[in-house]
Amino acid sequence: PAKAVAAMAKQAPQSLEALNRIIAGTAPFVPGATRAVLGEGPMAAEIAFVGEQPGDHEDLQGRPFVGPAGQLLDRALKDAGIDRGKSYLTNAVKHFKFEQRGKRRIHQKPTTGEVQHYRWWLLKELDFVKPRLVVALGGTAAFALTGKAMPITSSRGEAVFRSWRGYITLHPAYMLRLPDAAKEVAYESFVADLRRSREIAA
Ligand code: URA
């Protein structure tokens, strides 16, 4: 990654648009994705949400958080009183990585090296957006933002990500995989985290 980071730094984009052109024009680190899924939302957003990587739906539509995890996130944002349209949404890794099983494309968790490959872009992106608060959705985002392994159970809550105020919470896709009773409990705790984030960012 050191070499890749040096090469990225040389590109020295001066704006979010310039950065996005570079990301969109770069081949996926692991081949397969249809396109890079770029961040979405206004500059100086109150909250920037960082996920792991685009999923199948995101890869096809070219927008972050539009699949099942995105729908759960939408519901939780509403319940927490956060306007998605006023938030910035992006991912630690910008390309969908999957394993083909028949017609299905099964999401594959990015490796540490892959997250590091995309990390310079993510940090640069947030430097341009300048949100008031950065919320890491899940451990991969928290790792990308801190450069350290961040198990959710021990690091959940307020955090500092370099120069930004941060907050670490669950990834919505994690909740989708829980049995119903646990899902309900996790969802309520997730909404509570989002409410707290909204207060911090206000
Ligand atoms: N999961 C993520 O982490 N990001 C998306 O954009 C969609 C699902």
Side-chain angles (χ1 to χ4, degrees):
K3 245 196 203 157
V5 168
M8 287 171 173
K10 266 207 203 114
Q11 299 167 329
Q14 299 297 311
S15 67
L16 182 60
E17 293 69 30
L19 174 69
N20 279 339
R21 274 196 298 278
I22 293 168
I23 298 174
T26 305
F29 190 55
V30 178
T34 312
R35 54 171 65 83
V37 176
L38 304 172
E40 176 179 291
M43 299 297 272
E46 275 191 9
I47 306 179
F49 292 95
V50 180
E52 180 187 82
Q53 73 175 344
D56 184 53
H57 292 80
E58 289 79 17
D59 176 71
L60 295 174
Q61 295 182 40
R63 292 184 55 208
F65 287 105
V66 291
Q71 282 158 23
L72 186 59
L73 177 63
D74 283 351
R75 175 152 80 91
L77 288 174
K78 270 206 195 94
D79 285 348
I82 297 172
D83 186 344
R84 172 171 169 148
K86 291 186 183 159
S87 307
Y88 188 84
L89 282 96
T90 193
N91 283 297
V93 168
K94 301 295 194 263
H95 292 100
F96 178 40
K97 184 174 82 163
F98 59 92
E99 189 190 298
Q100 190 82 43
R101 273 192 226 148
K103 284 191 180 154
R104 295 181 60 206
R105 305 192 299 168
I106 311 295
H107 161 274
Q108 298 247 286
K109 196 177 158 68
T111 63
T112 302
E114 285 156 26
V115 175
Q116 280 166 343
H117 171 81
Y118 287 88
R119 185 166 188 251
W120 187 87
W121 283 342
L122 173 68
L123 301 179
K124 196 81 194 158
E125 181 183 9
L126 295 172
D127 277 342
F128 285 129
V129 175
K130 295 195 186 350
R132 288 233 277 269
L133 176 74
V134 179
V135 174
L137 299 171
T140 300
F143 167 63
L145 290 161
T146 59
K148 286 182 281 193
M150 285 279 156
I152 296 304
T153 37
S154 55
S155 53
R156 193 170 180 181
E158 287 188 53
V160 176
F161 303 138
R162 293 167 20 122
S163 55
W164 304 293
R165 289 195 80 170
Y167 200 95
I168 299 174
T169 185
L170 307 175
H171 191 291
Y174 157 80
M175 284 181 279
L176 291 174
R177 294 190 297 265
L178 294 174
D180 281 350
K183 194 181 281 172
E184 209 42 54
V185 174
Y187 179 79
E188 289 309 323
S189 73
F190 181 60
V191 172
D193 276 352
L194 296 182
R195 282 202 190 101
R196 181 77 195 109
S197 304
R198 193 193 68 192
E199 285 165 12
I200 295 170

